[in-house]
Amino acid sequence: ELKVEQNPLFLSMQEGKNYTIYCNYSTTSDRLYWYRQDPGKSLESLFVLLSNGAVKQEGRLMASLDTKARLSTLHITAAVHDLSATYFCAVDIDRDDKIIFGKGTRLHILP
Amino acid sequence: SAVISQKPSRDICQRGTSLTIQCQVDSQVTMMFWYRQQPGQSLTLIATANQGSEATYESGFVIDKFPISRPNLTFSTLTVSNMSPEDSSIYLCSASKVVRTDTQYFGPGTRLTVL
């Protein structure tokens, strides 16, 4: 059974600081997603990572994938308050697009 | 891309009743899924809605409790049957086009409260 583990689950940080969220998964996969969810809202897609060594960046967020280590990271650079949200990683477990979510990282950025 | 709408956006229901949630996509998609999200929790996959055939349910979810229909490539329904307060949750549908580089899109969710 696929397990997707994120850490930390909660993170409170100051504006301007850098931090990394980790996503480990327990079986092989060829696709990993990062989503953002604001309170009371649905999920917003941030990144789709497809191959070993893939790196994608959007603004202050950068995601990477190491399929050999079964690890993805979401790095936040010079955090700003607007990035406060819950971030989920999700792993594609079969060719039919079925994805399994991690528990999410609740990020709170203090002004 | 795909834009997904859900109806209703929220509902308050009595124990023992059933509610049908509709999910409409603005373009044809290959795969559609239903998830449940408890407040402050992650998403749990309920089932894959297969077009023209019975849905595929995940462990812990059964067709009698969560019947699903998918009559075409843009529409699906999830019914929550014989509801109890434990069914109070947010139900989300998602869709994908099985294009390798594309994401999976999510609807806005239906917030269900069972009294």
Side-chain angles (χ1 to χ4, degrees):
Chain A
E1 179 185 343
L2 173 68
K3 292 183 179 179
V4 182
E5 296 183 351
Q6 282 183 242
N7 70 84
L9 298 181
F10 298 95
L11 178 57
S12 182
M13 55 192 290
Q14 296 284 339
E15 275 193 330
K17 299 292 187 182
N18 303 332
Y19 211 84
T20 300
I21 301 170
Y22 298 88
C23 175
N24 289 91
Y25 53 99
S26 61
T27 190
T28 57
S29 173
D30 65 353
R31 193 158 38 169
L32 188 140
Y33 305 80
W34 283 97
Y35 288 91
R36 168 180 172 151
Q37 187 177 39
D38 292 292
K41 305 291 185 181
S42 188
L43 280 78
E44 173 191 355
S45 177
L46 296 174
F47 302 107
V48 182
L49 302 171
L50 301 173
S51 59
N52 188 42
V55 177
K56 290 193 174 180
Q57 183 165 3
E58 182 71 34
R60 300 175 187 272
L61 301 178
M62 183 174 70
S64 66
L65 178 62
D66 181 343
T67 58
K68 294 181 181 177
R70 299 178 184 170
L71 170 69
S72 180
T73 61
L74 180 66
H75 187 74
I76 302 153
T77 301
V80 293
H81 180 67
D82 287 350
L83 291 178
S84 297
T86 298
Y87 293 85
F88 291 98
C89 68
V91 177
D92 191 339
I93 64 171
D94 63 23
R95 292 281 175 179
D96 285 335
D97 273 12
K98 190 163 70 173
I99 62 176
I100 302 299
F101 281 79
K103 291 187 175 181
T105 297
R106 188 173 299 178
L107 177 63
H108 181 52
I109 299 172
L110 304 169
Chain B
S1 68
V3 178
I4 302 176
S5 58
Q6 287 184 231
K7 291 181 182 179
S9 58
R10 59 178 62 221
D11 208 341
I12 301 173
C13 300
Q14 295 296 321
R15 181 195 298 260
T17 63
S18 298
L19 176 72
T20 295
I21 302 168
Q22 298 180 5
C23 176
Q24 179 74 55
V25 190
D26 70 341
S27 58
Q28 289 188 348
V29 291
T30 308
M31 307 300 294
M32 294 184 75
F33 304 91
W34 287 96
Y35 289 84
R36 183 169 71 183
Q37 185 178 28
Q38 307 279 8
Q41 302 296 316
S42 185
L43 283 78
T44 301
L45 181 62
I46 298 171
T48 303
N50 298 309
Q51 195 261 328
S53 65
E54 198 169 280
T56 306
Y57 290 85
E58 297 300 307
S59 176
F61 298 96
V62 296
I63 187 171
D64 290 346
K65 177 67 176 177
F66 297 101
I68 288 170
S69 77
R70 190 180 169 193
N72 57 50
L73 292 175
T74 63
F75 186 78
S76 179
T77 66
L78 168 75
T79 299
V80 186
S81 302
N82 188 24
M83 288 183 285
S84 67
E86 292 72 35
D87 295 320
S88 297
S89 190
I90 298 170
Y91 293 85
L92 299 102
C93 80
S94 71
S96 68
K97 299 189 176 183
V98 199
V99 173
R100 180 166 169 73
T101 56
D102 204 0
T103 190
Q104 189 165 131
Y105 301 92
F106 281 81
T110 296
R111 183 179 296 268
L112 172 62
T113 302
V114 184
L115 302 177

Short mmCIF file of all heavy atoms in Angstrom, two decimals, chain A residues 32-78:
data_model
loop_
_atom_site.label_atom_id
_atom_site.label_comp_id
_atom_site.label_asym_id
_atom_site.label_seq_id
_atom_site.Cartn_x
_atom_site.Cartn_y
_atom_site.Cartn_z
N LEU A 32 4.36 13.22 -9.57
CA LEU A 32 4.11 13.78 -8.24
C LEU A 32 3.58 15.18 -8.39
O LEU A 32 4.03 15.95 -9.23
CB LEU A 32 5.40 13.76 -7.40
CG LEU A 32 5.23 14.15 -5.93
CD1 LEU A 32 6.09 13.28 -5.04
CD2 LEU A 32 5.50 15.62 -5.68
N TYR A 33 2.58 15.50 -7.56
CA TYR A 33 1.91 16.80 -7.63
C TYR A 33 2.11 17.55 -6.32
O TYR A 33 2.18 16.95 -5.24
CB TYR A 33 0.40 16.61 -7.80
CG TYR A 33 -0.03 15.76 -8.97
CD1 TYR A 33 -0.01 14.38 -8.89
CD2 TYR A 33 -0.53 16.35 -10.13
CE1 TYR A 33 -0.45 13.60 -9.95
CE2 TYR A 33 -0.98 15.59 -11.19
CZ TYR A 33 -0.93 14.21 -11.09
OH TYR A 33 -1.37 13.44 -12.14
N TRP A 34 2.13 18.86 -6.43
CA TRP A 34 2.01 19.73 -5.27
C TRP A 34 0.79 20.62 -5.48
O TRP A 34 0.60 21.20 -6.56
CB TRP A 34 3.26 20.61 -5.10
CG TRP A 34 4.43 19.87 -4.52
CD1 TRP A 34 5.47 19.30 -5.19
CD2 TRP A 34 4.68 19.63 -3.13
NE1 TRP A 34 6.35 18.71 -4.32
CE2 TRP A 34 5.89 18.90 -3.04
CE3 TRP A 34 4.01 19.95 -1.95
CZ2 TRP A 34 6.45 18.49 -1.83
CZ3 TRP A 34 4.56 19.54 -0.74
CH2 TRP A 34 5.77 18.83 -0.69
N TYR A 35 -0.02 20.71 -4.39
CA TYR A 35 -1.21 21.54 -4.41
C TYR A 35 -1.17 22.49 -3.24
O TYR A 35 -0.58 22.20 -2.19
CB TYR A 35 -2.48 20.68 -4.28
CG TYR A 35 -2.84 19.87 -5.48
CD1 TYR A 35 -2.38 18.56 -5.63
CD2 TYR A 35 -3.65 20.40 -6.48
CE1 TYR A 35 -2.73 17.80 -6.74
CE2 TYR A 35 -4.01 19.63 -7.59
CZ TYR A 35 -3.54 18.34 -7.71
OH TYR A 35 -3.89 17.59 -8.80
N ARG A 36 -1.88 23.58 -3.41
CA ARG A 36 -2.09 24.54 -2.33
C ARG A 36 -3.58 24.59 -2.03
O ARG A 36 -4.42 24.58 -2.95
CB ARG A 36 -1.60 25.93 -2.74
CG ARG A 36 -2.03 27.04 -1.80
CD ARG A 36 -1.54 28.39 -2.24
NE ARG A 36 -2.13 29.43 -1.41
CZ ARG A 36 -1.55 30.59 -1.14
NH1 ARG A 36 -0.37 30.88 -1.64
NH2 ARG A 36 -2.17 31.49 -0.38
N GLN A 37 -3.91 24.68 -0.73
CA GLN A 37 -5.31 24.84 -0.34
C GLN A 37 -5.41 25.94 0.70
O GLN A 37 -4.80 25.88 1.75
CB GLN A 37 -5.89 23.53 0.21
CG GLN A 37 -7.39 23.62 0.47
CD GLN A 37 -7.98 22.30 0.94
OE1 GLN A 37 -7.36 21.59 1.74
NE2 GLN A 37 -9.19 21.98 0.48
N ASP A 38 -6.21 26.95 0.39
CA ASP A 38 -6.52 28.01 1.35
C ASP A 38 -7.75 27.60 2.14
O ASP A 38 -8.58 26.82 1.66
CB ASP A 38 -6.75 29.33 0.61
CG ASP A 38 -5.47 29.85 -0.02
OD1 ASP A 38 -4.57 30.23 0.75
OD2 ASP A 38 -5.36 29.83 -1.26
N PRO A 39 -7.90 28.11 3.35
CA PRO A 39 -9.03 27.71 4.20
C PRO A 39 -10.38 27.89 3.49
O PRO A 39 -10.65 28.95 2.93
CB PRO A 39 -8.91 28.64 5.40
CG PRO A 39 -7.45 28.97 5.47
CD PRO A 39 -6.99 29.05 4.04
N GLY A 40 -11.18 26.85 3.50
CA GLY A 40 -12.49 26.92 2.89
C GLY A 40 -12.50 26.87 1.37
O GLY A 40 -13.56 27.04 0.76
N LYS A 41 -11.36 26.65 0.78
CA LYS A 41 -11.25 26.64 -0.68
C LYS A 41 -10.87 25.26 -1.19
O LYS A 41 -10.50 24.38 -0.41
CB LYS A 41 -10.18 27.66 -1.13
CG LYS A 41 -10.39 29.06 -0.63
CD LYS A 41 -11.59 29.71 -1.28
CE LYS A 41 -11.72 31.16 -0.87
NZ LYS A 41 -12.91 31.81 -1.48
N SER A 42 -10.93 25.11 -2.50
CA SER A 42 -10.52 23.85 -3.10
C SER A 42 -9.01 23.84 -3.33
O SER A 42 -8.29 24.70 -2.83
CB SER A 42 -11.26 23.63 -4.42
OG SER A 42 -11.01 22.34 -4.91
N LEU A 43 -8.54 22.88 -4.08
CA LEU A 43 -7.11 22.73 -4.29
C LEU A 43 -6.66 23.43 -5.55
O LEU A 43 -7.28 23.30 -6.60
CB LEU A 43 -6.75 21.24 -4.40
CG LEU A 43 -6.64 20.51 -3.07
CD1 LEU A 43 -8.00 20.17 -2.53
CD2 LEU A 43 -5.81 19.26 -3.24
N GLU A 44 -5.56 24.13 -5.42
CA GLU A 44 -4.94 24.80 -6.55
C GLU A 44 -3.67 24.06 -6.92
O GLU A 44 -2.81 23.83 -6.07
CB GLU A 44 -4.60 26.25 -6.17
CG GLU A 44 -3.80 27.00 -7.22
CD GLU A 44 -3.26 28.32 -6.70
OE1 GLU A 44 -3.59 28.69 -5.55
OE2 GLU A 44 -2.50 28.98 -7.43
N SER A 45 -3.55 23.67 -8.17
CA SER A 45 -2.36 22.96 -8.61
C SER A 45 -1.17 23.90 -8.68
O SER A 45 -1.25 24.98 -9.24
CB SER A 45 -2.61 22.34 -9.99
OG SER A 45 -1.45 21.70 -10.46
N LEU A 46 -0.05 23.47 -8.09
CA LEU A 46 1.18 24.26 -8.13
C LEU A 46 2.17 23.67 -9.15
O LEU A 46 2.67 24.37 -10.02
CB LEU A 46 1.83 24.30 -6.75
CG LEU A 46 1.05 25.00 -5.65
CD1 LEU A 46 1.76 24.82 -4.31
CD2 LEU A 46 0.85 26.46 -5.96
N PHE A 47 2.47 22.38 -8.97
CA PHE A 47 3.48 21.75 -9.81
C PHE A 47 3.10 20.31 -10.12
O PHE A 47 2.47 19.65 -9.31
CB PHE A 47 4.86 21.74 -9.12
CG PHE A 47 5.38 23.09 -8.73
CD1 PHE A 47 5.40 23.47 -7.39
CD2 PHE A 47 5.85 23.97 -9.68
CE1 PHE A 47 5.88 24.71 -7.02
CE2 PHE A 47 6.34 25.22 -9.32
CZ PHE A 47 6.35 25.58 -7.98
N VAL A 48 3.53 19.87 -11.31
CA VAL A 48 3.50 18.45 -11.66
C VAL A 48 4.94 18.06 -11.99
O VAL A 48 5.55 18.67 -12.88
CB VAL A 48 2.60 18.18 -12.87
CG1 VAL A 48 2.57 16.68 -13.18
CG2 VAL A 48 1.19 18.70 -12.63
N LEU A 49 5.47 17.09 -11.29
CA LEU A 49 6.85 16.65 -11.48
C LEU A 49 6.84 15.26 -12.08
O LEU A 49 6.18 14.36 -11.55
CB LEU A 49 7.60 16.66 -10.15
CG LEU A 49 7.64 18.02 -9.44
CD1 LEU A 49 8.20 17.87 -8.03
CD2 LEU A 49 8.45 19.02 -10.24
N LEU A 50 7.58 15.09 -13.17
CA LEU A 50 7.43 13.88 -13.96
C LEU A 50 8.63 12.96 -13.97
O LEU A 50 8.51 11.79 -14.30
CB LEU A 50 7.09 14.25 -15.40
CG LEU A 50 5.81 15.06 -15.60
CD1 LEU A 50 5.69 15.49 -17.05
CD2 LEU A 50 4.61 14.23 -15.19
N SER A 51 9.80 13.48 -13.68
CA SER A 51 10.96 12.62 -13.87
C SER A 51 12.00 12.89 -12.80
O SER A 51 11.99 13.93 -12.15
CB SER A 51 11.56 12.86 -15.26
OG SER A 51 11.94 14.20 -15.39
N ASN A 52 12.91 11.96 -12.67
CA ASN A 52 13.96 12.11 -11.68
C ASN A 52 14.78 13.36 -11.97
O ASN A 52 15.19 13.58 -13.11
CB ASN A 52 14.85 10.87 -11.69
CG ASN A 52 15.84 10.89 -10.55
OD1 ASN A 52 15.50 11.25 -9.42
ND2 ASN A 52 17.08 10.54 -10.83
N GLY A 53 14.99 14.15 -10.95
CA GLY A 53 15.76 15.37 -11.13
C GLY A 53 14.95 16.56 -11.59
O GLY A 53 15.48 17.66 -11.75
N ALA A 54 13.65 16.37 -11.78
CA ALA A 54 12.81 17.48 -12.23
C ALA A 54 12.81 18.59 -11.19
O ALA A 54 12.73 18.33 -10.00
CB ALA A 54 11.39 16.99 -12.50
N VAL A 55 12.90 19.80 -11.68
CA VAL A 55 12.84 20.98 -10.81
C VAL A 55 11.93 21.99 -11.50
O VAL A 55 12.10 22.29 -12.68
CB VAL A 55 14.22 21.61 -10.58
CG1 VAL A 55 14.09 22.87 -9.73
CG2 VAL A 55 15.15 20.62 -9.90
N LYS A 56 10.98 22.51 -10.73
CA LYS A 56 10.11 23.55 -11.27
C LYS A 56 10.02 24.69 -10.26
O LYS A 56 10.01 24.47 -9.05
CB LYS A 56 8.71 22.99 -11.56
CG LYS A 56 8.69 22.04 -12.74
CD LYS A 56 7.28 21.76 -13.19
CE LYS A 56 7.28 20.93 -14.46
NZ LYS A 56 5.90 20.65 -14.92
N GLN A 57 9.91 25.90 -10.80
CA GLN A 57 9.86 27.07 -9.94
C GLN A 57 8.76 28.01 -10.39
O GLN A 57 8.53 28.20 -11.59
CB GLN A 57 11.20 27.81 -9.94
CG GLN A 57 11.24 29.00 -9.00
CD GLN A 57 12.65 29.50 -8.73
OE1 GLN A 57 13.61 29.01 -9.28
NE2 GLN A 57 12.76 30.45 -7.83
N GLU A 58 8.07 28.57 -9.40
CA GLU A 58 7.05 29.57 -9.67
C GLU A 58 7.11 30.57 -8.53
O GLU A 58 6.74 30.26 -7.40
CB GLU A 58 5.66 28.93 -9.74
CG GLU A 58 4.54 29.89 -10.05
CD GLU A 58 4.55 30.37 -11.48
OE1 GLU A 58 4.92 29.59 -12.37
OE2 GLU A 58 4.17 31.53 -11.70
N GLY A 59 7.62 31.76 -8.86
CA GLY A 59 7.74 32.78 -7.82
C GLY A 59 8.68 32.33 -6.71
O GLY A 59 9.82 31.93 -6.97
N ARG A 60 8.20 32.35 -5.49
CA ARG A 60 9.02 31.99 -4.33
C ARG A 60 9.00 30.50 -4.02
O ARG A 60 9.59 30.07 -3.03
CB ARG A 60 8.53 32.78 -3.11
CG ARG A 60 8.59 34.28 -3.28
CD ARG A 60 7.99 35.02 -2.10
NE ARG A 60 7.91 36.43 -2.36
CZ ARG A 60 8.90 37.29 -2.09
NH1 ARG A 60 10.02 36.85 -1.55
NH2 ARG A 60 8.76 38.57 -2.36
N LEU A 61 8.32 29.72 -4.81
CA LEU A 61 8.21 28.28 -4.59
C LEU A 61 9.01 27.52 -5.64
O LEU A 61 8.94 27.85 -6.83
CB LEU A 61 6.75 27.84 -4.65
CG LEU A 61 5.78 28.48 -3.67
CD1 LEU A 61 4.37 27.97 -3.91
CD2 LEU A 61 6.21 28.22 -2.24
N MET A 62 9.74 26.51 -5.16
CA MET A 62 10.48 25.64 -6.06
C MET A 62 10.29 24.21 -5.61
O MET A 62 10.49 23.89 -4.43
CB MET A 62 11.97 25.99 -6.07
CG MET A 62 12.77 25.15 -7.06
SD MET A 62 14.48 25.67 -7.19
CE MET A 62 15.10 25.17 -5.60
N ALA A 63 9.94 23.33 -6.54
CA ALA A 63 9.71 21.93 -6.23
C ALA A 63 10.71 21.09 -6.98
O ALA A 63 11.07 21.39 -8.13
CB ALA A 63 8.30 21.52 -6.59
N SER A 64 11.14 19.99 -6.35
CA SER A 64 12.07 19.08 -6.98
C SER A 64 11.65 17.65 -6.70
O SER A 64 10.87 17.38 -5.78
CB SER A 64 13.50 19.31 -6.47
OG SER A 64 13.56 18.97 -5.09
N LEU A 65 12.16 16.74 -7.52
CA LEU A 65 11.79 15.33 -7.39
C LEU A 65 13.03 14.46 -7.53
O LEU A 65 13.78 14.60 -8.49
CB LEU A 65 10.76 14.95 -8.45
CG LEU A 65 10.30 13.49 -8.47
CD1 LEU A 65 9.61 13.12 -7.17
CD2 LEU A 65 9.37 13.24 -9.66
N ASP A 66 13.19 13.54 -6.59
CA ASP A 66 14.24 12.51 -6.65
C ASP A 66 13.51 11.17 -6.59
O ASP A 66 13.13 10.71 -5.52
CB ASP A 66 15.21 12.68 -5.47
CG ASP A 66 16.33 11.66 -5.48
OD1 ASP A 66 16.20 10.63 -6.18
OD2 ASP A 66 17.33 11.87 -4.80
N THR A 67 13.32 10.55 -7.74
CA THR A 67 12.55 9.31 -7.78
C THR A 67 13.31 8.14 -7.16
O THR A 67 12.70 7.19 -6.67
CB THR A 67 12.16 8.95 -9.22
OG1 THR A 67 13.35 8.83 -10.01
CG2 THR A 67 11.24 9.99 -9.81
N LYS A 68 14.62 8.22 -7.18
CA LYS A 68 15.39 7.11 -6.58
C LYS A 68 15.25 7.12 -5.07
O LYS A 68 15.14 6.06 -4.44
CB LYS A 68 16.85 7.24 -7.00
CG LYS A 68 17.07 7.02 -8.49
CD LYS A 68 18.54 7.14 -8.87
CE LYS A 68 18.69 6.94 -10.38
NZ LYS A 68 20.10 7.11 -10.81
N ALA A 69 15.25 8.30 -4.48
CA ALA A 69 15.07 8.43 -3.04
C ALA A 69 13.58 8.47 -2.68
O ALA A 69 13.25 8.46 -1.49
CB ALA A 69 15.75 9.69 -2.53
N ARG A 70 12.72 8.53 -3.68
CA ARG A 70 11.27 8.65 -3.45
C ARG A 70 10.98 9.85 -2.56
O ARG A 70 10.28 9.76 -1.55
CB ARG A 70 10.69 7.37 -2.88
CG ARG A 70 10.88 6.18 -3.80
CD ARG A 70 10.36 4.91 -3.22
NE ARG A 70 10.65 3.78 -4.10
CZ ARG A 70 10.48 2.52 -3.74
NH1 ARG A 70 10.01 2.21 -2.55
NH2 ARG A 70 10.76 1.55 -4.61
N LEU A 71 11.53 10.97 -2.99
CA LEU A 71 11.46 12.19 -2.19
C LEU A 71 11.22 13.39 -3.10
O LEU A 71 11.86 13.54 -4.14
CB LEU A 71 12.78 12.39 -1.44
CG LEU A 71 12.98 13.73 -0.73
CD1 LEU A 71 12.02 13.85 0.46
CD2 LEU A 71 14.43 13.88 -0.26
N SER A 72 10.29 14.23 -2.66
CA SER A 72 10.10 15.51 -3.30
C SER A 72 10.20 16.61 -2.25
O SER A 72 9.86 16.38 -1.09
CB SER A 72 8.74 15.59 -4.00
OG SER A 72 8.56 16.84 -4.62
N THR A 73 10.67 17.76 -2.66
CA THR A 73 10.76 18.89 -1.74
C THR A 73 10.05 20.10 -2.35
O THR A 73 10.02 20.27 -3.57
CB THR A 73 12.21 19.26 -1.44
OG1 THR A 73 12.87 19.63 -2.65
CG2 THR A 73 12.96 18.11 -0.79
N LEU A 74 9.49 20.90 -1.48
CA LEU A 74 8.91 22.18 -1.86
C LEU A 74 9.64 23.24 -1.05
O LEU A 74 9.51 23.28 0.18
CB LEU A 74 7.41 22.21 -1.58
CG LEU A 74 6.69 23.51 -1.95
CD1 LEU A 74 6.70 23.71 -3.47
CD2 LEU A 74 5.26 23.50 -1.44
N HIS A 75 10.42 24.05 -1.74
CA HIS A 75 11.24 25.03 -1.06
C HIS A 75 10.61 26.41 -1.18
O HIS A 75 10.19 26.81 -2.28
CB HIS A 75 12.65 25.05 -1.66
CG HIS A 75 13.60 25.93 -0.91
ND1 HIS A 75 14.12 25.58 0.32
CD2 HIS A 75 14.09 27.15 -1.21
CE1 HIS A 75 14.91 26.55 0.74
NE2 HIS A 75 14.92 27.52 -0.17
N ILE A 76 10.58 27.09 -0.06
CA ILE A 76 10.01 28.43 -0.01
C ILE A 76 11.15 29.41 0.23
O ILE A 76 11.90 29.27 1.20
CB ILE A 76 8.99 28.54 1.13
CG1 ILE A 76 7.89 27.49 0.93
CG2 ILE A 76 8.39 29.95 1.20
CD1 ILE A 76 7.23 27.07 2.21
N THR A 77 11.25 30.39 -0.64
CA THR A 77 12.32 31.37 -0.54
C THR A 77 11.76 32.71 -0.12
O THR A 77 10.79 33.20 -0.70
CB THR A 77 13.04 31.52 -1.89
OG1 THR A 77 13.57 30.26 -2.29
CG2 THR A 77 14.17 32.54 -1.79
N ALA A 78 12.36 33.29 0.92
CA ALA A 78 11.95 34.63 1.38
C ALA A 78 10.44 34.70 1.52
O ALA A 78 9.76 35.48 0.85
CB ALA A 78 12.47 35.70 0.42
#
